[in-house]
Amino acid sequence: MVIKVVKGNPTPEELAAALAVVQARAAALASAPPGAPPVADEWAAPSRVARRHLPQPGPRAWGRTYWPA
């Protein structure tokens, strides 16, 4: 695997932190038993999106746009 910095100039500490995250993720995937279903990403899960309450139209709706549900 080759990792290349295409923009910016990270410090050695920042680069080491990023590589540690990539290595940890690769190790977790490698240690999974064969045939195990992949772990779903909860960020885009339809159930999470369905739980989100969108603001109702009205004069003060813009103020509720960025508040967490």
Side-chain angles (χ1 to χ4, degrees), residues 3 5 7-23:
I3 297 177
V5 177
K7 187 174 183 181
N9 190 13
T11 65
E13 293 83 12
E14 291 171 334
L15 194 54
L19 290 176
V21 170
V22 171
Q23 287 179 334

Side-chain angles (χ1 to χ4, degrees):
M1 175 181 358
V2 176
I3 297 177
K4 180 180 176 182
V5 177
V6 294
K7 187 174 183 181
N9 190 13
T11 65
E13 293 83 12
E14 291 171 334
L15 194 54
L19 290 176
V21 170
V22 171
Q23 287 179 334
R25 178 70 175 156
L29 290 175
S31 67
V39 177
D41 185 14
E42 291 295 323
W43 180 255
S47 62
R48 179 184 174 278
V49 174
R51 287 191 308 257
R52 185 171 173 230
H53 300 285
L54 297 176
Q56 296 298 315
R60 294 163 87 59
W62 65 269
R64 296 186 300 266
T65 303
Y66 294 104
W67 288 97

